[in-house]
Amino acid sequence: MADFGLYEYQEEVVQRALRGENIIIWLPTGGGKTRAAFTIPLCSFLPTIEFTLLIIDECHHTHKEGVYNKIMGRLLPQILGLTASPGTGGAKSIKGAVDHVLQICANLDSVIVSSKVYAPELKKKVPRPRKRFDIVDRRPQDPFGDHLKFMMQFIHDFMALGPDFPVREFGTQEYEADVVILEKKGVTDRNRLLAQCALHLRQYNDALLINDTVCMVDAFRVLESYYSTKTSTATDGTDFFLLGLYQENEVELRKLAGDARFENPKMGKLQNTLLEQFDQGEHSRGILFSKTRKSTHCLYDWVSNNPALQHAGIRAAILTGAGNGTNYMTQNEQKDTIRNFRLGSLNLLISTSVAKEGLDIPECNLVVRYGLLTNEIAQQQASGRARASDSVYSVVAQAGGREVRRELLNECLEDLTGRAIGEVQRMEPREFQMKTTDLQTETLLTRQLAEQLKIKKRSRFSAATVQLSCRDCVVPVAFGNDIKVIENAHHVNINPDFEKYYKTGGQPALKTFEDWQPGRVISCAACGKQWGREMVYKEIALLPSLAIENFAMETPEGRKLANKWKKVEFTVEEFNFSTYCQNRFPNMLD
């Protein structure tokens, strides 16, 4: 094993895997889990190249409907799971945390191992960063936010909800959940006033959240962008009321957003935190974690246009999740960003939670969590990125705010996770086997029942009996059997008559994927509601790709909504490219 350059604590944790056992390796971020894992197939000297070992990184995701858990439902070879933070699964008691760890072990059919004999070596090799809370006082005055709340209350008075709909605090996630429910109720009850007011209230609430996170001008631009498209799409009295309310207050909002006396004090604290580290030398490297893609872009603009930060030599880039959507980075874009960060042409990543796990990001001497409310797993993994010598892990938050309370709770849950793993490791082998076998049996039965219910739900209605209407103006535009699915990801309308119901706008996204490329944005021709985006499939088929969350479904049992295509109650057939070409271009093959 010494030939592979492993530390003794790494050799310790792989011993049972070398004997052919299924194991979960629990080591902190930066502890070399991946390096240890890849010595196992090399040491096995297998005479064939059969599929004999499955390595699952971030294996704490092996639960419920996670992809890893679905894979584990099949016949598999030897399992090697890797995790820095199994978490407690939401439990706050030692019994609940132990049950959670046992469930992960059962799902992976593995025992969980960690370094015991060589734990001091591990602690020396992977030092914990110096944690600190960079606290700011609450804004003494917030006239911009107060004006937004005044406008929101005006909309509530217009809605006349009554006492059956209590209003929670504006500018919170809880209020956002309330207006989401109100919008759904408005759509299903055919109450357009309620639905539209709820949509606009959500925009104002987003502006309040941004105002609390970044700059006032960023919050104003969110509303400015939203209402820039509404003038040409207003259709009734509700639309004209909501548009008029914004237009009457636009000048005042712009004025307040530009008044530096009332700027978000968190930005000043964040600036000081960054300068303190980056002023120390040219080799500083950091990650700034924020909640949403929108906030990462706002922060990037702020860093790029901040003279003090630029003078300190900060070279920033955005790092967000990879995916097929136009709002996501491609995997190649992620790789290029991380490579430039490693080479030093970039020294600050402004990231969503994507950078907390799974990606090969170099060690940093500064990690900042800014405006985040996450669980103990995300906190541990973010902290683990700050593993350079004398590194700093900073929490920038408002005094008495929820971020600080959550951070302190996560510290307790991190300790609880360690205690729970210890209890599981001390179980007698017979007891451990009995408990995990019982959990595996329960999981199998639950999965089978869930699959039966899912199949039944998907075939509840015939696709031809389900009519799709625009979610905003409720104009009928398609039937369920017009929709086909490409590669289990893109839901497209193949009916050529559908073209008369939508308009296109904007420029195609400058991205190309393996078999398709995104086109222009698709919107309702009647009200302007955005429905999705064109896609060019195999360089021939120009298809409207739709998001079901932008439609209401008229079914034999009434109007229904779904936020994902997998939740619709009719079967969507696979797209057949050959049949489509024969129907649309009958002379193409002559």
Side-chain angles (χ1 to χ4, degrees):
M1 294 289 288
D3 294 340
F4 295 104
L6 296 185
Y7 290 95
E8 289 178 303
Y9 71 83
Q10 291 172 310
E11 295 184 11
E12 178 186 1
V13 297
V14 300
Q15 291 305 310
R16 294 180 69 170
L18 292 173
R19 297 197 294 268
E21 296 182 46
N22 291 351
I23 70 166
I24 300 169
I25 294 177
W26 176 47
L27 288 176
T29 301
K33 297 182 292 296
T34 305
R35 183 174 181 82
F38 278 98
T39 65
I40 295 169
L42 296 175
C43 289
S44 298
F45 299 109
L46 301 174
T48 68
I49 56 172
E50 292 172 350
F51 178 37
T52 57
L53 175 67
L54 179 65
I55 300 174
I56 301 179
D57 196 12
E58 310 297 349
C59 69
H60 50 272
H61 293 303
T62 311
H63 61 89
K64 297 182 180 178
E65 293 300 308
V67 174
Y68 289 166
N69 220 18
K70 293 178 180 178
I71 293 173
M72 288 300 301
R74 306 178 182 183
L75 183 63
L76 290 170
Q78 182 183 357
I79 301 300
L80 175 60
L82 310 175
T83 183
S85 44
T88 68
K92 294 182 175 63
S93 67
I94 186 63
K95 180 184 182 303
V98 167
D99 289 344
H100 172 69
V101 174
L102 282 171
Q103 184 69 66
I104 292 177
C105 291
N107 292 345
L108 287 161
D109 195 26
S110 302
V111 297
I112 186 165
V113 301
S114 57
S115 179
K116 302 293 185 184
V117 177
Y118 296 104
E121 180 192 41
L122 171 61
K123 187 174 182 180
K124 183 178 179 181
K125 174 66 175 61
V126 190
R128 294 180 69 97
R130 176 167 50 90
K131 183 174 182 177
R132 72 186 197 196
F133 290 90
D134 289 319
I135 303 301
V136 297
D137 293 330
R138 184 184 295 270
R139 275 179 173 138
Q141 291 180 282
D142 183 15
F144 177 76
D146 291 342
H147 201 84
L148 291 178
K149 292 175 182 178
F150 161 77
M151 295 170 70
M152 293 170 75
Q153 187 59 55
F154 203 79
I155 296 174
H156 272 273
D157 294 341
F158 177 74
M159 294 163 68
L161 292 175
D164 293 337
F165 295 92
V167 179
R168 288 193 275 188
E169 183 182 358
F170 295 156
T172 63
Q173 298 293 340
E174 291 79 10
Y175 178 80
E176 180 177 330
D178 290 344
V179 293
V180 167
I181 293 171
L182 278 178
E183 190 272 339
K184 290 179 179 178
K185 179 175 174 56
V187 174
T188 54
D189 291 354
R190 294 175 167 79
N191 184 339
R192 190 171 187 277
L193 184 150
L194 180 61
Q196 289 302 302
C197 286
L199 286 174
H200 287 247
L201 284 168
R202 186 171 183 181
Q203 292 295 321
Y204 283 105
N205 198 64
D206 284 348
L208 281 174
L209 290 170
I210 293 170
N211 179 50
D212 185 58
T213 304
V214 281
C215 299
M216 294 184 292
V217 68
D218 296 315
F220 174 74
R221 285 170 182 162
V222 166
L223 292 174
E224 185 179 43
S225 175
Y226 180 73
Y227 281 99
S228 65
T229 63
K230 295 299 179 182
T231 304
S232 60
T233 59
T235 60
D236 64 10
T238 299
D239 292 339
F240 288 114
F241 163 77
L242 293 167
L243 177 62
L245 177 65
Y246 172 75
Q247 290 176 335
E248 290 171 7
N249 289 274
E250 182 178 19
V251 172
E252 181 66 14
L253 287 173
R254 188 191 304 273
K255 176 184 174 183
L256 292 172
D259 194 331
R261 294 176 300 168
F262 307 113
E263 193 52 271
N264 189 347
K266 291 180 186 175
M267 304 303 290
K269 179 62 72 172
L270 176 59
Q271 175 175 313
N272 292 338
T273 300
L274 293 173
L275 288 176
E276 181 179 331
Q277 198 66 30
F278 281 91
D279 276 344
Q280 293 182 6
E282 60 182 22
H283 299 298
S284 293
R285 183 186 279 131
I287 303 179
L288 170 56
F289 285 103
S290 191
K291 181 180 179 182
T292 65
R293 286 192 296 273
K294 174 65 179 175
S295 62
T296 62
H297 284 272
C298 293
L299 288 168
Y300 172 77
D301 291 342
W302 172 73
V303 169
S304 301
N305 294 288
N306 185 301
L309 298 180
Q310 292 304 299
H311 181 73
I314 293 181
R315 301 176 297 279
I318 294 168
L319 181 64
T320 56
N324 288 334
T326 56
N327 293 327
Y328 293 84
M329 297 182 79
T330 65
Q331 289 187 342
N332 285 336
E333 288 171 337
Q334 277 191 343
K335 290 177 182 177
D336 288 344
T337 299
I338 294 171
R339 181 175 63 251
N340 290 331
F341 188 62
R342 182 179 292 109
L343 294 175
S345 55
L346 298 172
N347 56 15
L348 179 66
L349 296 180
I350 304 174
S351 179
T352 54
S353 60
V354 65
K356 76 182 188 323
E357 65 179 24
L359 297 178
D360 183 19
I361 295 175
E363 62 185 25
C364 301
N365 53 1
L366 175 66
V367 165
V368 181
R369 279 168 56 87
Y370 184 77
L372 287 178
L373 286 169
T374 60
N375 63 19
E376 72 281 7
I377 295 177
Q379 178 175 315
Q380 287 176 254
Q381 291 177 323
S383 173
R385 293 298 184 190
R387 55 183 186 265
S389 176
D390 196 29
S391 57
V392 172
Y393 171 78
S394 166
V395 178
V396 177
Q398 182 175 284
R402 293 183 297 171
E403 297 98 330
V404 174
R405 294 196 297 272
R406 183 70 217 197
E407 197 80 14
L408 295 174
L409 172 61
N410 286 343
E411 291 178 2
C412 297
L413 295 178
E414 180 181 353
D415 177 69
L416 185 61
T417 299
R419 288 163 51 204
I421 292 172
E423 286 208 12
V424 171
Q425 291 174 331
R426 289 189 293 272
M427 286 181 180
E428 292 294 327
R430 179 180 174 82
E431 179 189 5
F432 176 82
Q433 189 63 48
M434 288 178 59
K435 288 180 179 292
T436 53
T437 299
D438 287 346
L439 288 170
Q440 288 168 342
T441 302
E442 285 180 22
T443 299
L444 179 61
L445 293 173
T446 301
R447 185 179 296 151
Q448 290 173 342
L449 178 60
E451 189 60 32
Q452 291 172 6
L453 293 173
K454 189 182 297 181
I455 293 171
K456 184 178 180 181
K457 181 178 180 180
R458 284 177 180 169
S459 57
R460 185 169 187 175
F461 306 117
S462 165
T465 66
V466 178
Q467 188 175 50
L468 274 62
S469 302
C470 174
R471 186 159 178 160
D472 275 14
C473 65
V474 205
V475 171
V477 296
F479 284 91
N481 56 348
D482 295 331
I483 308 299
K484 307 299 177 188
V485 60
I486 298 176
E487 299 172 0
N488 201 33
H490 311 284
H491 291 75
V492 298
N493 190 318
I494 63 168
N495 189 335
D497 292 337
F498 183 63
E499 293 178 359
K500 65 185 178 184
Y501 293 109
Y502 69 83
K503 57 186 177 182
T504 57
Q507 295 297 316
L510 299 177
K511 292 185 179 181
T512 300
F513 301 93
E514 185 174 356
D515 288 325
W516 69 282
Q517 63 187 67
R520 294 169 296 176
V521 171
I522 294 170
S523 302
C524 176
C527 72
K529 170 72 173 178
Q530 186 171 318
W531 287 347
R533 185 179 283 272
E534 293 175 318
M535 65 178 294
V536 180
Y537 185 61
K538 293 187 181 294
E539 301 182 348
I540 294 176
L542 179 63
L543 300 163
S545 179
L546 307 176
I548 190 60
E549 65 184 12
N550 298 321
F551 297 87
M553 293 173 287
E554 304 291 347
T555 76
E557 297 181 4
R559 182 174 291 179
K560 294 179 179 289
L561 302 173
N563 61 348
K564 296 180 180 179
W565 279 104
K566 67 180 181 181
K567 294 184 179 181
V568 301
E569 297 178 281
F570 61 91
T571 301
V572 180
E573 296 179 350
E574 285 285 333
F575 175 75
N576 188 306
F577 182 66
S578 298
T579 301
Y580 172 83
C581 290
Q582 290 169 5
N583 292 336
R584 291 298 297 266
F585 315 109
N587 300 321
M588 186 175 69
L589 301 178
D590 291 348

